Amino acid sequence: MGRLAYDRPANKGFLTMTARMDDQSVAQRVLDHIANGTTDVGHDVWREPVTNYRSEARLAAEIEQVLRRSPTPFCPSAALPEVGSYVAREAAGTPIVAVRGTDGKVRAFRNACRHRGMQVASGSGCTRAFVCRYHGWTYNLEGALRHIPHEEGFPGFDKDSHPLVPVTAREHLGLVFVTQDESTPGHDPLGGLDRLIGPEQRVFATAEREFEVNWKIFLEGFIEGYHIKSTHPESFLPYGFDNLNVIDLFGPNSRVTYPFQRIKKLVKVPPQERRVEGLLTYVYHLFPNVLITVLSRHTNVVILEPLAIDRTRQITYTMTNDGGDDPGALAEAKRDAEFVGNTGLAEDREVVHAIQRGLASGANDAFTFGKFESAIVHFHQTLTAALGRT
Ligand code: FES
Ligand SMILES: [Fe+2]
């Protein structure tokens, strides 16, 4: 597997990296790249067959063998702030509901009533029990079936053996991870990561949008900086750099650092005193289908739910970076989130739609990912290995 030619000690810092490089090492590496006109490069060039974006069988394998078997971030812990808080949505094509129980622990269930399969929860909210809307069968927050209206109509039916069907849920790094199928051990999501989302971070917006794009094309657009000058000449380039990134690979995951021009001021700061907040954007890719973008004042948790070979639902949780409930910090975070979403990200969406439409052109048998696109190379290497494991 391709690895970059450096290895740094782990840092236990908050909102910092973790496996390979701490913030100070990232800052030094960025300053070196600026001084030398260089960027991080990977070892391998990867050719991904275009058919892997167009094949129904391939998508089915990705969903069944990778997305369902991987511990996948389902929502931030902060989306389940209190006892009874729940989030229901489809994950890898399966309706799932995650809920914080009376013991404070998060559990997740297949979202289907044990009577005739109606979904027992929809959207998000806070509840004391899940009452099926169809006939009123009622489950507690731990999934136990507690009440059947007119129970005499079901002689011999054992409520105890008909709880909501659990899937594995685990809170880690400020996220709720769900694993649907543990028949084949998937990857270890820890992969050297430290906490990503802190306890004071609040969710201030959630959004769901659907795009006519394969989920992998969508993902690829976020994890390389080789396109900044061409795609974002007026939005991101004036504040950032073209093709100047620090790329960490850890376990199945990666992190791409996008520095801002203003990081140059750190040259005058002693290395151990350098703080990078507001001077760069970190984009984490948590394999297989989740992105966490840490910007100056806000953090996005972006979940890519494949719906078809050419259709993806994007679920986004936008969170404050700090300040808790401070209205000033919240207003700034909202303003930044709006700016990024309306400018640079709109340009990215235009590109990925055009790529999707171009798949049918037949021009390419394969796409070539080069040494500046090493986080994408790592993704395809990891995905290929995960599909081959089964
Ligand atoms: S389907 Fe849920 S109560 Fe009938
Ligand atoms: Fe972009």
Side-chain angles (χ1 to χ4, degrees), residues 221-222 224 227-228 231-232 236 258 344-345 347-348:
F222 283 90
E224 52 90 357
H227 72 278
I228 298 296
T231 305
H232 307 296
F236 292 154
Y258 297 82
L345 295 183
E347 292 160 348
D348 286 317

Side-chain angles (χ1 to χ4, degrees), residues 316-331:
T316 306
Y317 291 90
T318 308
M319 309 181 71
T320 54
N321 280 357
D322 49 37
D325 297 317
D326 169 42
L330 186 62

Side-chain angles (χ1 to χ4, degrees), residues 183-200:
S183 60
T184 309
H187 68 271
D188 171 14
L190 319 191
L193 267 174
D194 207 332
R195 179 176 265 279
L196 282 170
I197 294 169
E200 82 289 3

Side-chain angles (χ1 to χ4, degrees), residues 28 36 47 62-63 66 68 72 76 97 102 119 154 156 163 192 210 235 261 275 292 309 316 333 362 365 368 389:
Q28 187 58 54
N36 301 325
R47 285 179 59 78
E62 289 166 356
I63 291 173
V66 182
R68 289 182 186 157
T72 306
V97 56
T102 46
Q119 295 189 4
F154 298 87
E210 291 184 11
S235 52
Q261 288 282 342
R275 306 253 313 155
I292 299 182
I309 52 170
T316 306
D365 293 333
T368 306
R389 216 172 20 229

Side-chain angles (χ1 to χ4, degrees), residues 112-120 131-139 149:
C113 181
R114 299 304 303 277
H115 178 214
R116 283 166 52 195
M118 175 75 186
Q119 295 189 4
V120 298
V131 182
C132 180
R133 206 158 59 77
Y134 204 179
H135 311 92
W137 288 27
T138 302
Y139 304 84

Side-chain angles (χ1 to χ4, degrees), residues 85-99:
S85 296
Y86 68 90
V87 169
R89 68 170 177 84
E90 281 186 21
T94 310
I96 299 284
V97 56
V99 61

